[in-house]
Amino acid sequence: QVQLVESGGGLVQAGGSLRLSCAASGRTFNIYAMAWLRQAPGKEREFVAGITRSIGNTAYANFVKGRFTISRDNAKNTVYLQMNSLKPEDTAVYYCVARKTIGVLTNSDYDYWGQGTQVTVSS
C-alpha cells in the first residue's frame, strides 16, 4: 500500500507562485516515478510534470515549461511542484500520483493517487 497526501494548494493572483507538496508513505520502495496531474472543471485530466525517484529524470507538459519545476526529496519521500508565473488557466485540482513500473512519465497509467489539492488562480 502507498498513500499520497498533497498540500500547498490555494488561491493566488495571476503571476503569483505556489509550491505543492506530496508526501508518500507505506511501501514507498515500490515507487518508480511520481508525477502531478491536474483536472479543471469540464476538462480532461492532463499531465503536468513527473520525476523518477532514483535518477531524477523529469518531464513537463508544454504548457508549464519554464514556469513549473518538479523536484523530490527521497529521504522525506516527498515530491514538490514549484509553480511560478501562474495563469488563470492553471486553475484545477492537482493530483499527486505514483507508479511502480518503468515507463514514459507522461503516460496516465499511474498506480497510486492522492486526494487532490485545489489551485485557483485569479485574474
Side-chain angles (χ1 to χ4, degrees):
Q1 295 286 331
V2 172
Q3 296 80 42
L4 304 173
V5 179
E6 304 101 327
S7 62
L11 175 64
V12 66
Q13 293 185 51
S17 298
L18 286 173
R19 191 190 193 203
L20 306 184
S21 298
C22 175
S25 60
R27 299 172 65 86
T28 57
F29 67 88
N30 203 32
I31 296 174
Y32 160 72
M34 298 180 67
W36 293 92
L37 312 181
R38 73 185 188 186
Q39 187 166 22
K43 304 294 184 180
E44 292 188 357
R45 184 179 62 246
E46 59 187 356
F47 174 85
V48 177
I51 188 168
T52 63
R53 295 188 71 233
S54 296
I55 300 175
N57 293 331
T58 59
Y60 295 93
N62 287 335
F63 55 79
V64 302
K65 286 183 178 178
R67 299 189 297 124
F68 292 8
T69 302
I70 189 169
S71 61
R72 88 273 196 234
D73 185 339
N74 287 342
K76 297 180 179 180
N77 290 314
T78 300
V79 170
Y80 306 94
L81 184 67
Q82 179 66 47
M83 304 186 294
N84 299 325
S85 301
L86 283 162
K87 305 174 181 179
E89 53 263 43
D90 294 318
T91 296
V93 176
Y94 284 71
Y95 297 93
C96 177
V97 297
R99 74 165 179 254
K100 300 175 290 185
T101 57
I102 296 173
V104 178
L105 290 172
T106 53
N107 289 346
S108 297
D109 56 337
Y110 284 84
D111 301 301
Y112 309 106
W113 289 68
Q115 82 286 353
T117 186
Q118 177 70 47
V119 172
T120 302
V121 184
S122 64
S123 59

